Amino acid sequence: MPGFATSVTHTLGTAAATERLKTFLEDVRRDHGDKLTDARGEWQGNTLHFGFSVYGMGIQGTMEVSETGVQVNGKLPLAAAFFRGQIEKSIRDELVKRCDGKVEIRP
């Protein structure tokens, strides 16, 4: 199963960044509900374990918040591998918005 990964750095600290990301799935569901179904997630400390379906393809992964960054990793079905770059960019853009532009995108 192919994977995806993206990360951003921030200056918010772990607690503030985690607080800003607590509504991540709800907001993605609201903004992309026409494409997304079965969105679910559970926070365990500073890590969100999530899953959802896009156009019937199941995607799952984790979002880990640290003192200076957010790392998102996940698995894609083979059929979605072609869209990996777009998925990573969409997630990264959402993370940037949540941190009020106080991030630097890692290469």
Side-chain angles (χ1 to χ4, degrees):
M1 189 173 266
F4 66 94
T6 190
S7 62
V8 297
T9 59
H10 62 77
T11 59
L12 300 172
T14 304
T18 301
E19 191 59 35
R20 288 186 184 202
L21 293 168
K22 287 285 185 180
T23 62
F24 184 80
L25 268 181
E26 293 147 18
D27 295 340
V28 169
R29 187 181 306 130
R30 181 194 66 227
D31 296 343
H32 304 284
D34 58 327
K35 300 173 209 111
L36 183 103
T37 59
D38 193 28
R40 63 206 173 284
E42 179 183 345
W43 282 94
Q44 294 176 344
N46 297 327
T47 302
L48 172 65
H49 299 269
F50 65 86
F52 53 85
S53 294
V54 176
Y55 298 119
M57 296 179 281
I59 297 172
Q60 58 186 342
T62 59
M63 176 188 307
E64 186 175 348
V65 182
S66 70
E67 189 67 21
T68 59
V70 181
Q71 177 72 38
V72 179
N73 296 293
K75 295 181 180 176
L76 298 171
L78 191 55
F82 180 73
F83 302 103
R84 186 177 102 189
Q86 183 179 359
I87 291 167
E88 290 171 342
K89 182 183 181 320
S90 294
I91 292 170
R92 191 170 45 246
D93 290 349
E94 288 294 325
L95 294 174
V96 168
K97 281 195 291 189
R98 306 248 177 262
C99 296
D100 294 332
K102 297 176 183 174
V103 297
E104 243 177 73
I105 298 173
R106 295 179 186 166

